[in-house]
Amino acid sequence: MSDSPLSHRKIIHIDMDAFYASVEQRDFPEYRGKPLAVGGSPTGRGVVATASYEARKFGVRSAMSSRKAIQLCPQIIFVFPRFDAYKAVSRSIREIFQRYTDIIEPLSLDEAFLDVTQDKLQIGSALEIAKQIKKAIKDELNLTASAGISTNKFVAKIASDINKPDGLTFIGPSKIETFINNLPVEKFFGVGKVTAQKMNNMQLFTGADLKKLTEIELVKNFGKAGHFYFRIVRGIDEREVQTHRETKSLGAEDTFTYDLSTVDEMHKELDIIAETVFRRLQKSQLKGRTITLKVKYNDFTQITRNFSYTHPVGDFETIFNTAKQLLEKVDMEEKTVRLLGISLSNFGEPETKPRKPRDPEQLELF
């Protein structure tokens, strides 16, 4: 790794600390020092978007239902999101980044990758640049950020999560191998609870354990992601910081005020969601070949089903009808539904190899 030209890259990952909640606590002094959740009301079907660190001490986390949050922390304060305010702060943060580099890859309003291999101010040290960025965010915006610095995106992103909030972690080329060897598999990008449990069942608990498997073995057990795992446990991540990220998918989803129990109810909601997706596709001038249906049950388990066409589609009728057909293939298992979503992806060029048209009743489910 240390002999590779890529080892000379200087990548910073900046991640704002409890961003939405921190903005609220900054703007409204009465919230400071108190457990706070930004999200939907606990009296409805709301979900926590961000929790302050005071709330996290009680186990409140992002994506948790608001009802669950108030059970864990009865004194928690709920506020609705002010996205215009968050976007304005995000623009100010980006302006700070641009003092040092134009090679910026925003991942969301509150985090971004920066390539400072050649920085504008000729500082030369990524660690020093990260320190200056954190200080500017604190002094000018009265917010804190955590920074991870390394030679690739994978390690930099994980490093930024160490010592939060207000963390600063540098993992140099000579430290990457040891860092990844000791890294729990749950921390690897793309490893969710199900995959982590599968790895644990195979006695794979750390990067060092994953490194014992061949690439063929990793692909056999984990599909295409196995190629990524094989390279990343060896510290190989050649992904560049992309100033213009390609849109991978576009969609919409809705969490309902009450659980849906009949197909007619679900069709009515899919109609509305499909219309939203259609309008967003038109606005973005995109068409996709893969339509995905997302279903979340009342017990918070969720599944996805998708179908790929041989040609790009983007009209409302195709989106809506495909979603309905995919829903027919879903086993409701006597559960009710709290969320439905539709998304389109695979915006690239269509396949050149012709495929025999399939009957709608023969949709492929994955």
Side-chain angles (χ1 to χ4, degrees):
M1 179 67 194
S2 60
D3 294 332
S4 167
L6 296 176
S7 67
H8 299 292
R9 291 194 302 170
K10 301 171 185 177
I11 309 297
I12 302 173
H13 180 256
I14 299 288
D15 190 10
M16 300 299 296
D17 299 321
F19 182 52
Y20 297 171
S22 294
V23 172
E24 296 299 333
Q25 290 179 321
R26 181 197 68 176
D27 294 349
F28 300 96
E30 62 269 28
Y31 297 151
R32 295 173 190 171
K34 298 178 180 179
L36 179 75
V38 178
S41 169
T43 59
R45 301 298 299 274
V47 175
V48 175
T50 305
S52 70
Y53 283 97
E54 294 85 354
R56 295 183 189 190
K57 293 178 182 178
F58 293 88
V60 179
R61 295 289 183 269
S62 299
M64 175 181 289
S65 73
S66 298
R67 288 181 179 177
K68 177 66 174 178
I70 207 164
Q71 289 175 359
L72 293 172
C73 182
Q75 69 270 39
I76 195 169
I77 301 169
F78 278 89
V79 297
F80 287 103
R82 296 184 299 132
F83 287 111
D84 287 344
Y86 310 147
K87 289 177 181 177
V89 176
S90 184
R91 286 192 292 269
S92 297
I93 295 169
R94 186 181 179 102
E95 289 172 1
I96 293 174
F97 294 162
Q98 289 172 332
R99 298 172 191 171
Y100 301 91
T101 181
D102 290 324
I103 308 177
I104 304 166
E105 180 180 343
L107 302 179
S108 60
L109 292 178
D110 62 343
E111 64 173 317
F113 285 113
L114 289 70
D115 187 329
V116 295
T117 307
Q118 301 291 333
D119 68 278
K120 290 181 177 179
L121 303 182
Q122 298 183 347
I123 295 171
S125 167
L127 181 59
E128 177 60 29
I129 292 171
K131 288 179 180 178
Q132 291 187 20
I133 288 174
K134 281 168 51 65
K135 185 176 187 302
I137 290 173
K138 179 65 176 177
D139 293 347
E140 299 173 29
L141 303 175
N142 197 22
L143 295 168
T144 64
S146 294
I149 308 103
S150 192
T151 61
N152 65 55
K153 293 165 71 173
F154 175 79
V155 178
K157 183 171 174 61
I158 294 173
S160 69
D161 198 43
I162 299 175
N163 299 322
K164 262 184 164 292
D166 202 20
L168 179 69
T169 303
F170 170 68
I171 309 293
S174 63
K175 303 292 185 182
I176 288 178
E177 183 176 2
T178 301
F179 177 75
I180 295 179
N181 282 344
N182 295 327
L183 193 68
V185 294
E186 293 84 358
K187 294 289 187 179
F188 277 70
F189 176 78
V191 175
K193 291 182 179 179
V194 175
T195 302
Q197 186 59 56
K198 181 177 180 179
M199 288 181 173
N200 291 168
N201 292 340
M202 297 172 60
Q203 300 301 303
L204 303 173
F205 300 100
T206 65
D209 295 330
L210 284 177
K211 192 182 288 187
K212 296 174 184 177
L213 300 185
T214 66
E215 187 168 6
I216 293 175
E217 289 173 325
L218 286 168
V219 172
K220 179 181 178 181
N221 285 283
F222 305 107
K224 293 181 180 179
H227 296 296
F228 174 77
Y229 299 150
F230 181 80
R231 295 175 64 79
I232 211 65
V233 295
R234 289 161 177 78
I236 303 171
D237 182 7
E238 300 172 349
R239 294 174 300 157
E240 296 181 355
V241 175
Q242 300 175 335
T243 54
H244 300 286
R245 300 186 75 210
E246 180 184 357
T247 301
K248 299 295 184 181
S249 66
L250 188 152
E253 60 184 39
D254 193 12
T255 300
F256 311 116
T257 55
Y258 63 92
D259 293 337
L260 306 184
S261 57
T262 69
V263 173
D264 285 343
E265 289 176 322
M266 296 176 201
H267 282 178
K268 289 178 182 178
E269 297 297 339
L270 286 177
D271 188 340
I272 298 171
I273 297 169
E275 177 66 29
T276 301
V277 175
F278 168 64
R279 285 189 275 104
R280 290 178 179 176
L281 287 169
Q282 282 193 315
K283 184 177 180 180
S284 302
Q285 296 183 318
L286 289 171
K287 289 185 177 182
R289 286 185 286 127
T290 300
I291 296 178
T292 300
L293 172 71
K294 177 181 177 181
V295 180
K296 180 180 287 187
Y297 298 113
N298 62 319
D299 62 359
F300 289 91
T301 60
Q302 71 178 41
I303 60 170
T304 58
R305 298 288 185 264
N306 59 49
F307 172 71
S308 293
Y309 288 89
T310 57
H311 58 281
V313 298
D315 61 284
F316 168 78
E317 289 78 10
T318 300
I319 297 169
F320 179 47
N321 289 332
T322 303
K324 286 196 298 182
Q325 291 162 2
L326 289 169
L327 184 65
E328 291 175 4
K329 305 297 182 180
V330 174
D331 183 2
M332 290 305 171
E333 303 173 346
E334 299 183 354
K335 296 179 181 179
T336 53
V337 172
R338 66 176 275 119
L339 176 149
L340 288 171
I342 303 172
S343 63
L344 267 77
S345 59
N346 213 352
F347 297 122
E349 292 297 319
E351 298 175 6
T352 56
K353 184 178 179 180
R355 295 170 62 187
K356 182 179 179 181
R358 286 170 288 184
D359 187 278
E361 293 299 317
Q362 296 177 319
L363 295 179
E364 291 184 3
L365 303 184
F366 301 92

